[in-house]
Amino acid sequence: MPNGQDFNVEIVSFGFPSKEYVGEAPFEARHSLTSVELETARTLLVGLVQRGLSFAERPRVLTEYPGSRFMGKVVFREGWALVQPPEGNDA
């Protein structure tokens, strides 16, 4: 049962060309990824979060407190990355 304090990490947007664009540019300014790149990015992001859990000083997003802990999931919001249509598909 959720207690309103424990948390997972949600990836809401990905692929901005530089950090200056994050939060400032429309989502359409993001790079689009092939399906292979999308899976590679997903794997790398999950790995980064898992690695961050082992740091003596965790990244802020993974900081745990006595009443709040990371539940262990990395969730990808629908539309988190722009996907290139398969080659040969003009749609």
Side-chain angles (χ1 to χ4, degrees):
M1 173 179 285
N3 65 9
Q5 296 178 17
D6 294 338
F7 62 94
N8 288 307
V9 172
E10 181 180 29
I11 308 298
V12 297
S13 61
F14 182 83
F16 289 100
S18 71
K19 66 182 180 181
E20 287 80 21
Y21 284 84
V22 177
E24 299 294 326
F27 283 155
E28 294 77 21
R30 298 177 294 169
H31 294 292
S32 60
L33 306 173
T34 66
S35 59
V36 171
E37 292 169 330
L38 184 70
E39 285 309 309
T40 300
R42 185 185 309 266
T43 299
L44 288 171
L45 289 165
V46 169
L48 284 169
V49 168
Q50 294 304 317
R51 181 68 176 113
L53 293 172
S54 69
F55 293 167
E57 289 187 35
R58 289 183 178 182
R60 184 180 301 176
V61 71
L62 297 175
T63 301
E64 294 182 332
Y65 300 95
S68 174
R69 66 184 180 87
F70 177 54
M71 299 296 291
K73 289 185 181 177
V74 179
V75 180
F76 295 85
R77 184 179 290 180
E78 187 169 331
W80 70 278
L82 297 179
V83 182
Q84 292 176 11
E87 282 192 38
N89 184 357
D90 294 332

